[in-house]
Amino acid sequence: QSALTQPPSVSGSPGQSVTISCTGTSSDLGSYNRVSWYQQPPGTAPKLLIFEVTYRPSGVPDRFSGSKSGNTASLTISGLQTEDEGDYYCSSYTTSSNWVFGGGTKLTVL
Amino acid sequence: EVQLVQSGAEVKKPGESLKISCKGSGYSFSTYGIGWVRQMPGKGLEWMGMIYPGDSDTIYSPSFQGQVTISVDQSISTAYLQWSGLKASDTAMFYCARRFGDDAFDFWGQGTMVTVSS
């Protein structure tokens, strides 16, 4: 099971919006709406941001939103804040009853 | 409050065995699957496998099948990840996480750093 494909890095200025893409295959993203996104600030454990493509857990700001089309999912962060810096990972359930993560995207807030 | 508390950092030699733990509290431990995730130094997250404490049903990523063993002791709400012969390439941070809904992991342990070096 290969990792999902994410851009290595994205950047934006405070207040702007950025979108992180996550591309998979028909064995994962293309088969299910079981996509989640995680934020990992440096030196800390990952934190769930989005589940089932578009849903936010309690406490996650609505600046974070998710979407999916075919084999590609996206995370959009609007109104960028300096505390949004860190690594972001997508994840998908697969047809093998496994999970697969993306390679991660480093977000820099300029 | 839901918590997953992992055992402390380990330093081991190649060939040694190791078992690290993940203790859940603040919820019905038997109801939720526990996954294990590896993060090698400076690298991304890799899903290793999952155990369902209620029936100990376990599934492994093909990449980790046969390399590690995932187990659980429901009586003390603790999941385990173990190796029988560590290699230097096992050096990594290991996280446990609670499965949430159909696809996600909502609570994560703080991580256990395993260093394998001669």
Side-chain angles (χ1 to χ4, degrees):
Chain A
Q1 183 75 52
S2 299
L4 305 173
T5 301
Q6 298 181 231
S9 63
V10 296
S11 62
S13 300
Q16 288 186 332
S17 294
V18 295
T19 297
I20 301 171
S21 62
C22 170
T23 301
T25 70
S26 57
S27 296
D28 36 67
L29 289 181
S31 286
Y32 303 105
N33 285 331
R34 295 186 180 184
V35 182
S36 49
W37 289 89
Y38 302 87
Q39 176 192 53
Q40 187 180 34
T44 68
K47 171 190 171 185
L48 177 64
L49 287 178
I50 298 285
F51 65 97
E52 292 176 23
V53 180
T54 61
Y55 296 94
R56 288 184 308 278
S58 174
V60 173
D62 59 6
R63 302 186 296 107
F64 296 90
S65 62
S67 63
K68 187 176 85 80
S69 177
N71 292 349
T72 299
S74 299
L75 173 71
T76 298
I77 309 170
S78 58
L80 270 178
Q81 301 180 2
T82 54
E83 58 260 37
D84 296 334
E85 281 201 338
D87 295 325
Y88 289 79
Y89 295 91
C90 59
S91 174
S92 176
Y93 187 68
T94 79
T95 55
S96 302
S97 301
N98 283 189
W99 274 259
V100 62
F101 285 98
T105 299
K106 183 177 180 64
L107 169 63
T108 302
V109 181
L110 303 168
Chain B
E1 178 194 8
V2 174
Q3 282 192 311
L4 295 175
V5 178
Q6 297 184 231
S7 49
E10 301 274 1
V11 179
K12 291 290 190 180
K13 291 182 167 33
E16 291 186 333
S17 61
L18 175 65
K19 192 174 189 177
I20 63 175
S21 67
C22 169
K23 182 173 176 60
S25 63
Y27 72 101
S28 175
F29 187 75
S30 63
T31 305
Y32 295 81
I34 294 287
W36 286 95
V37 176
R38 182 176 79 174
Q39 188 167 36
M40 299 178 77
K43 301 298 184 183
L45 305 176
E46 299 173 90
W47 184 80
M48 303 175 71
M50 175 94 73
I51 191 163
Y52 295 90
D55 58 7
S56 295
D57 187 29
T58 310
I59 185 164
Y60 294 91
S61 162
S63 299
F64 293 94
Q65 179 84 48
Q67 308 303 310
V68 296
T69 301
I70 296 171
S71 61
V72 68
D73 185 339
Q74 193 176 342
S75 69
I76 55 172
S77 301
T78 300
Y80 301 97
L81 178 65
Q82 70 180 87
W83 296 258
S84 58
L86 286 160
K87 302 184 275 288
S89 57
D90 291 316
T91 293
M93 180 72 83
F94 294 90
Y95 293 102
C96 64
R98 188 182 81 161
R99 178 179 174 176
F100 171 69
D102 279 342
D103 67 330
F105 298 95
D106 60 347
F107 286 92
W108 292 65
Q110 82 277 19
T112 296
M113 184 66 207
V114 174
T115 302
V116 184
S117 174
S118 55

